[in-house]
Amino acid sequence: MKFLQLVPSLLLTGTVFVSFTTFTRSEEILLAKLKKITASTDLRASSPQQTSLVTNSRRVQPTKEIQRVSEIEHPLKSAQMLLVQSPPLQTAPSKEVVQVTGVKANPTDKGVEVILQTSVGEQLQLINRSSGKSFIADIQNAQLRLPSGDAFTFRSQKPTAGITEITVINQDANTIRVTVIGETGMPTVELFDTDEGLILGLMPVASSTQLQQQPDTQQKPGVDKPSRENPPEKPSARGDEPIELVVTGQADGYSASDATTATRTDTPIRDIPQSIQVVPRQVLEDQGTIRIDNTVRNVSGIAADGQGGSARQRFNIRGFSNFSSFGGGFLRNGFREGEGGFRETANIERIEVLKGPASVLYGNLEPGGVINIVIEQPLRDPFYSGELQIGSYNLYRPSIDLSGPFNLDRTLLYRLNAVYENSDTFRKFDQGIERYFIAPVLTWNIGERTKLNLELDYLNDERPFDRGLVAIGREVADIPITRILGEPDDVFEFEELGVGYRLEHQFSENLTIRNSFRFLSQDTFDYRAEPLALNATTGILSRNFRSNNDILERYSLQTDIVGKFATGAVKHTLLFGVDLTRQTTEGTQRRLPGGRTPSINIFAPVYNLIPRPGLSLLTNVVRDNNSSANTLGIFLQDQIAFADNFKLLLGGRFDLVDQESTNNLNDTTTSQYDEAFTPRIGIVYQPIEPISLYASYSQSFVPNSGIRVDGSILEPTRGTQYEVGIKGEFFNRKLSTALAAYQITKTNIATADLNNNAFVVPVGEQRSRGLELDVVGEILPGWNIIASYAYTDAEVTEDNPRSRGGNLGNQLANVPYNSASLWTTYEIQSGNLKGLGFGIGLFFVGERQGDLENTFVLPSYLRSDAAIFYRQNNWRAAINVNNLFDVKYFEASDFGRVTVRPGAPLTIIGSLSVEF
């Protein structure tokens, strides 16, 4: 059934006429709004730009002008006509920040429509800042937010003839910027609001004939290149209903504007007074990464550390190991992960690296920094992806990524990532790598303001246990890097199960409560021929058969309340939280009695001189203990904005730690109760919009596991950091830079008690000073870059004064003075070769000390990587080459002269992925 439609025709005299035509029932809602606008608004001519009211892809007669703010005589009540032109410094009235929860791009018969999804579209006001061929509008008091709470960026390149690019970004904490770049001139923009949100209809400066002759292809309008987070959509069932592209939140390309790790709130990186770098998913895909080791090397100040027999992932951040007795230095969505195993990359959305102390938010962490792995979340629209990677050393790695809604109203969403991996290594073990991983996630949108996430992840990993090579004199022994000095069947087994939930309720736009829980269980086992000591003259390496068997369980509960309010002109984002953690461990180490394990000649090794002893024959039990640690943390943080360009961060945390350890060998129990307060203060000043200057002071603490001769546990180690820096955003915020200088001092470090070497005393101090530079983003369309440089001077500044020489003045192990990285890709944007891309990487690590005693040196190296890839429609093929010139290099040492880990030689990985 068709009805009459009112179409306001605006004349230069300001008189409103009414013409009659027909419209469908789906447009009835707009009719009342049109009447309201025409009855209450006096429209005047002031600009050559055009704007109009549209209904989906149908256009109503446009008005001739866009008004300036100064020329509006009556306040507008609808977003239909809120596009206004103003001087650059004009600001919109202050109001609550509107959450835009999604972006859609729909084709029309004249161009394309961009829909900003929000239930209060009428509250959005646009300030026009257009110039040249670009239409630019700022939507004040608004922010892009995913259902999961993450900020995101939307970009569509060449969505239709005549338009080069559309971007929608968070310009700052309270402003969304929409940019539309025309090929030959500024596009015409048409506006209206619906129950779905605010719609911008875009018509390029091109003739209707040109538009009608645009080829009909299977490529979806509004998207230049599909990705795992922007999957191709299926055609609509209705012929007149547009195909839509739903952007679900992954930062576009290499750019990332926000991070949660530094403040536990969604905060623009430019407003954080501490160094934080984000490695987005696109970098992992371009580099063909299946190990986090190869991902964090893109970030300044991170160096490889001992990996416990190539079975764990540990790093030095700003000179300090990220491993502590309370687990590894990884967070998973803000929860501490355990020590052991290799973190899986298949379900990673991005990696956030926070440099410096983070104890104020996460409790006991080493002062160098922390690596937070942000996991992918369910999508509102069906998405199915499969990938197969095949490469050197018989690598075979299929994976799937499935997501979508369970029900029609999309309140119940799921995501499933699963991986199987099987490969050999470049080291000559009989043992290979076999790995299973599965991670389902379920999201239940209980109501408009309440959401529940349920997560489970399971990992089973088996690989060789490998201590690597040995040092002779001041250098690594000149033997092939493929040679093993243990036994060919040395093995490491790891099993991990994680289960958790996250419940979030938004009382209002300014008050949110989050409650999260995670249970983590890890079971590790190894059996190896452990290297002990090398006779440098004969090349004979003594060894000992030994086995570790350990179990860790951790229960973690987090509750946060985030409130936003103002005291006069000063704005606050207040965070209050409570963390509860209980961790239990139990384990043993068994050894074959001394003298029964055959030694090996590193120059002419002979393996399997005796049959591998059964576990029952490892009768020398040197460790049999169980321990527990209960922690309570209470923290408060206030992000204060005195002005748009002047911000202060204040935070403090109080922790209670109750430890108990039982030695089952002698039936003794030791306990320790610690209290710690860790503050943080930072200031940010932005003299001009792209530049942020900052300074900060922060502290950290970690409970000590060292035991005095009287049986008591040492007091916690403390870390103190001073940091200053400058951050910049360029090319319309597509390229970010960060330069930081810092000093970290770690005190109360356990050192050997010279009266009894079996015990320790707390007299050690270490200091790290450095300078870091990071660059990441897009230089030109299709040209991405992530690069870094770090100068790190980490040394022992205090040691046991009674020791003979000791380590005073020594450099910390595995920390290079200089390190740098460069990875850049370019993808052809048009023509017959569109979708073809190339990548090249250079990774430099300077000379490092191999142990704390500084008895030998690991040489510097420059490793080169390369990639070629081709993406078309919904598939992508790639070849990645690591260590292109087959350079011999050494990554790190585990704990000294007999545990040097060699780097992999030339490695090739091919991949093919398909998305539906």
Side-chain angles (χ1 to χ4, degrees):
M1 181 177 182
K2 296 185 177 181
F3 298 83
L4 294 179
Q5 179 181 17
L6 294 175
V7 182
S9 302
L10 306 180
L11 302 183
L12 294 179
T13 60
T15 306
V16 178
F17 290 90
V18 178
S19 60
F20 296 91
T21 183
T22 60
F23 70 107
T24 64
R25 179 176 291 275
S26 64
E27 296 165 338
E28 289 182 43
I29 297 175
L30 185 60
L31 177 59
K33 296 182 179 180
L34 292 174
K35 289 180 180 179
K36 185 176 181 180
I37 289 294
T38 56
S40 62
T41 306
D42 181 18
L43 302 176
R44 301 184 178 197
S46 64
S47 169
Q49 294 171 303
Q50 291 186 341
T51 186
S52 70
L53 306 177
V54 297
T55 60
N56 228 357
S57 59
R58 304 177 181 83
R59 179 143 44 96
V60 182
Q61 180 65 35
T63 64
K64 300 297 182 183
E65 312 294 344
I66 298 178
Q67 296 172 274
R68 295 181 181 273
V69 169
S70 59
E71 297 176 333
I72 300 177
E73 295 185 357
H74 305 287
L76 300 178
K77 304 297 184 181
S78 170
Q80 290 170 301
M81 301 298 292
L82 287 180
L83 182 60
V84 294
Q85 183 160 332
S86 69
L89 299 179
Q90 187 82 23
T91 60
S94 177
K95 60 178 71 174
E96 290 187 349
V97 175
V98 174
Q99 303 294 317
V100 175
T101 58
V103 179
K104 293 183 180 180
N106 297 335
T108 70
D109 57 349
K110 298 297 183 181
V112 66
E113 295 174 350
V114 175
I115 305 174
L116 305 180
Q117 293 183 303
T118 177
S119 59
V120 288
E122 69 279 2
Q123 295 183 18
L124 300 179
Q125 180 166 343
L126 280 71
I127 306 298
N128 186 11
R129 305 187 186 279
S130 302
S131 64
K133 299 179 182 180
S134 300
F135 167 81
I136 305 172
D138 286 348
I139 306 174
Q140 299 191 344
N141 298 303
Q143 276 283 283
L144 299 176
R145 287 290 183 267
L146 278 178
S148 63
D150 293 335
F152 68 106
T153 298
F154 166 84
R155 178 174 297 153
S156 177
Q157 295 178 333
K158 296 186 180 298
T160 189
I163 294 180
T164 301
E165 184 179 64
I166 302 171
T167 59
V168 184
I169 65 171
N170 281 320
Q171 179 66 12
D172 55 42
N174 298 300
T175 306
I176 294 174
R177 173 162 289 183
V178 180
T179 304
V180 183
I181 303 175
E183 289 184 357
T184 60
M186 186 187 304
T188 299
V189 181
E190 308 171 336
L191 299 175
F192 72 90
D193 73 284
T194 67
D195 293 338
E196 188 176 9
L198 179 66
I199 300 180
L200 292 82
L202 308 172
M203 186 173 70
V205 180
S207 68
S208 21
T209 302
Q210 288 174 314
L211 293 173
Q212 291 170 0
Q213 291 177 350
Q214 189 173 344
D216 181 17
T217 69
Q218 296 300 313
Q219 179 74 19
K220 301 294 183 282
V223 60
D224 181 58
K225 48 187 179 183
S227 74
R228 64 191 294 116
E229 298 297 340
N230 300 332
E233 289 74 29
K234 298 178 181 180
S236 170
R238 288 177 48 189
D240 62 345
E241 186 174 328
I243 303 168
E244 69 180 34
L245 165 70
V246 181
V247 175
T248 58
Q250 182 174 325
D252 181 78
Y254 286 18
S255 62
S257 59
D258 288 28
T260 60
T261 305
T263 61
R264 285 175 83 153
T265 63
D266 292 321
T267 303
I269 293 175
R270 67 195 300 267
D271 293 341
I272 297 173
Q274 197 167 340
S275 181
I276 183 168
Q277 275 72 50
V278 178
V279 183
R281 178 76 203 181
Q282 191 63 52
V283 175
L284 276 71
E285 292 182 348
D286 288 350
Q287 293 183 343
T289 298
I290 60 176
R291 296 287 179 268
I292 287 182
D293 311 58
N294 289 329
T295 301
V296 298
R297 63 183 178 165
N298 296 286
V299 178
S300 66
I302 297 185
D305 199 14
Q307 289 194 346
S310 298
R312 298 168 174 85
Q313 290 174 310
R314 298 174 182 172
F315 303 97
N316 277 309
I317 306 178
R318 288 188 167 177
F320 297 102
S321 174
N322 68 341
F323 167 75
S324 75
S325 58
F326 278 73
F330 289 100
L331 302 177
R332 181 188 187 275
N333 288 344
F335 281 100
R336 173 75 70 87
E337 289 292 85
E339 166 73 351
F342 282 69
R343 300 298 95 197
E344 181 53 55
T345 61
N347 64 335
I348 293 178
E349 178 182 311
R350 65 183 184 274
I351 295 174
E352 299 180 355
V353 181
L354 177 63
K355 314 276 194 64
S359 290
V360 70
L361 292 178
Y362 302 104
N364 47 87
L365 288 170
E366 291 294 329
V370 67
I371 301 170
N372 186 26
I373 301 171
V374 181
I375 303 303
E376 294 176 326
Q377 297 299 310
L379 306 176
R380 288 176 53 85
D381 292 287
F383 171 72
Y384 313 106
S385 172
E387 182 178 38
L388 175 63
Q389 293 174 291
I390 299 176
S392 302
Y393 313 111
N394 299 314
L395 171 67
Y396 176 79
R397 180 182 160 97
S399 62
I400 59 171
D401 182 4
L402 313 176
S403 188
F406 269 128
N407 55 358
L408 293 178
D409 57 2
R410 303 184 184 186
T411 59
L412 198 60
L413 312 175
Y414 75 92
R415 189 153 197 165
L416 176 67
N417 287 98
V419 175
Y420 172 74
E421 180 181 333
N422 193 300
S423 74
D424 297 325
T425 73
F426 71 93
R427 307 269 288 153
K428 300 300 184 180
F429 284 93
D430 294 339
Q431 192 71 237
I433 297 174
E434 188 169 29
R435 182 179 178 91
Y436 307 85
F437 174 78
I438 186 169
V441 182
L442 183 66
T443 296
W444 179 21
N445 294 305
I446 302 173
E448 291 185 1
R449 296 181 178 272
T450 307
K451 183 181 67 175
L452 175 66
N453 264 39
L454 302 174
E455 298 184 358
L456 182 146
D457 52 278
Y458 174 79
L459 173 65
N460 190 301
D461 187 302
E462 182 174 319
R463 64 183 58 242
F465 188 100
D466 184 11
R467 287 296 190 191
L469 306 181
V470 297
I472 295 180
R474 295 283 299 170
E475 300 177 346
V476 180
D478 186 16
I479 59 177
I481 62 171
T482 59
R483 181 170 298 168
I484 63 173
L485 302 179
E487 290 292 318
D489 54 356
D490 287 352
V491 66
F492 175 82
E493 298 174 359
F494 177 73
E495 186 175 27
E496 178 181 80
L497 173 67
V499 181
Y501 73 81
R502 175 187 172 100
L503 178 64
E504 179 176 316
H505 178 71
Q506 192 174 35
F507 294 99
S508 68
E509 296 293 337
N510 295 320
L511 183 61
T512 301
I513 185 170
R514 300 185 297 249
N515 176 255
S516 304
F517 170 80
R518 179 165 170 82
F519 166 74
L520 180 70
S521 173
Q522 293 185 333
D523 190 346
T524 61
F525 170 83
D526 64 63
Y527 194 135
R528 80 275 189 178
E530 179 78 2
L532 299 179
L534 175 70
N535 185 320
T537 303
T538 63
I540 300 299
L541 176 67
S542 62
R543 305 179 303 173
N544 176 238
F545 279 119
R546 60 183 58 174
S547 174
N548 289 298
N549 194 347
D550 294 277
I551 296 175
L552 175 146
E553 290 186 351
R554 181 183 293 123
Y555 303 82
S556 303
L557 182 68
Q558 298 178 354
T559 301
D560 301 344
I561 299 176
V562 181
K564 298 180 180 181
F565 62 94
T567 55
V570 180
K571 299 178 181 179
H572 299 262
T573 299
L574 193 66
L575 170 70
F576 173 77
V578 177
D579 293 348
L580 287 168
T581 302
R582 175 173 175 77
Q583 176 178 300
T584 62
T585 62
E586 59 181 80
T588 61
Q589 183 181 113
R590 299 173 178 273
R591 302 177 180 178
L592 192 66
R596 295 173 56 183
T597 305
S599 298
I600 195 169
N601 188 322
I602 67 169
F603 300 110
V606 178
Y607 305 108
N608 300 315
L609 288 177
I610 66 171
R612 186 184 190 93
L615 288 175
S616 61
L617 297 179
L618 306 184
T619 56
N620 182 16
V621 181
V622 299
R623 177 173 63 88
D624 183 358
N625 58 11
N626 57 320
S627 64
S628 66
N630 299 310
T631 63
L632 168 65
I634 302 173
F635 56 91
L636 183 66
Q637 174 185 274
D638 193 6
Q639 297 170 256
I640 307 170
F642 295 100
D644 289 341
N645 66 339
F646 183 54
K647 302 173 178 71
L648 178 67
L649 175 66
L650 296 174
R653 179 186 180 103
F654 181 72
D655 280 276
L656 302 174
V657 182
D658 188 3
Q659 302 178 77
E660 185 175 277
S661 178
T662 300
N663 185 339
N664 296 317
L665 297 178
N666 56 20
D667 196 25
T668 59
T669 299
T670 58
S671 62
Q672 177 81 13
Y673 178 82
D674 293 307
E675 298 179 355
F677 176 75
T678 48
R680 177 169 68 162
I681 182 171
I683 190 169
V684 178
Y685 174 63
Q686 292 147 347
I688 57 176
E689 186 175 350
I691 301 298
S692 296
L693 308 176
Y694 73 89
S696 65
Y697 166 85
S698 55
Q699 287 190 339
S700 69
F701 90 101
V702 176
N704 229 320
S705 59
I707 306 295
R708 291 186 178 92
V709 70
D710 62 4
S712 62
I713 301 176
L714 298 187
E715 294 79 9
T717 64
R718 303 301 300 253
T720 301
Q721 174 182 270
Y722 299 89
E723 179 178 342
V724 296
I726 179 171
K727 301 178 183 181
E729 294 180 330
F730 307 100
F731 304 136
N732 196 23
R733 302 188 70 181
K734 297 177 183 178
L735 185 72
S736 300
T737 61
L739 177 65
Y742 66 88
Q743 175 176 297
I744 303 175
T745 302
K746 181 179 177 181
T747 59
N748 211 40
I749 300 171
T751 60
D753 186 339
L754 298 182
N755 293 325
N756 191 332
N757 289 333
F759 300 95
V760 295
V761 291
V763 296
E765 180 183 279
Q766 299 171 354
R767 185 188 64 204
S768 176
R769 294 172 173 171
L771 186 69
E772 297 170 345
L773 173 66
D774 288 271
V775 179
V776 61
E778 183 182 71
I779 300 175
L780 293 172
W783 183 9
N784 292 316
I785 185 174
I786 182 168
S788 69
Y789 167 76
Y791 170 79
T792 310
D793 181 8
E795 64 176 341
V796 177
T797 51
E798 188 175 326
D799 201 2
N800 195 320
R802 293 183 298 141
S803 63
R804 298 179 224 178
N807 298 318
L808 185 64
N810 285 359
Q811 294 296 305
L812 302 188
N814 296 321
V815 181
Y817 277 111
N818 295 282
S819 60
S821 69
L822 169 66
W823 172 263
T824 183
T825 64
Y826 179 73
E827 181 176 334
I828 298 173
Q829 301 293 294
S830 60
N832 295 332
L833 296 179
K834 179 181 178 181
L836 179 63
F838 307 90
I840 187 168
L842 299 172
F843 301 93
F844 171 77
V845 177
E847 187 177 89
R848 297 137 288 153
Q849 295 296 327
D851 57 9
L852 188 61
E853 294 74 26
N854 291 187
T855 65
F856 73 104
V857 174
L858 300 177
S860 63
Y861 68 88
L862 177 64
R863 171 180 144 178
S864 302
D865 293 356
I868 181 171
F869 56 88
Y870 182 68
R871 75 177 97 228
Q872 192 63 246
N873 296 325
N874 65 332
W875 63 272
R876 180 183 186 273
I879 297 176
N880 288 84
V881 183
N882 297 331
N883 198 358
L884 180 64
F885 299 108
D886 201 20
V887 173
K888 181 179 180 179
Y889 68 99
F890 304 98
E891 293 183 339
S893 66
D894 269 8
F895 53 78
R897 299 182 60 85
V898 293
T899 59
V900 179
R901 187 170 74 252
L906 172 70
T907 305
I908 301 175
I909 299 178
S911 62
L912 177 65
S913 61
V914 181
E915 299 174 351
F916 303 95

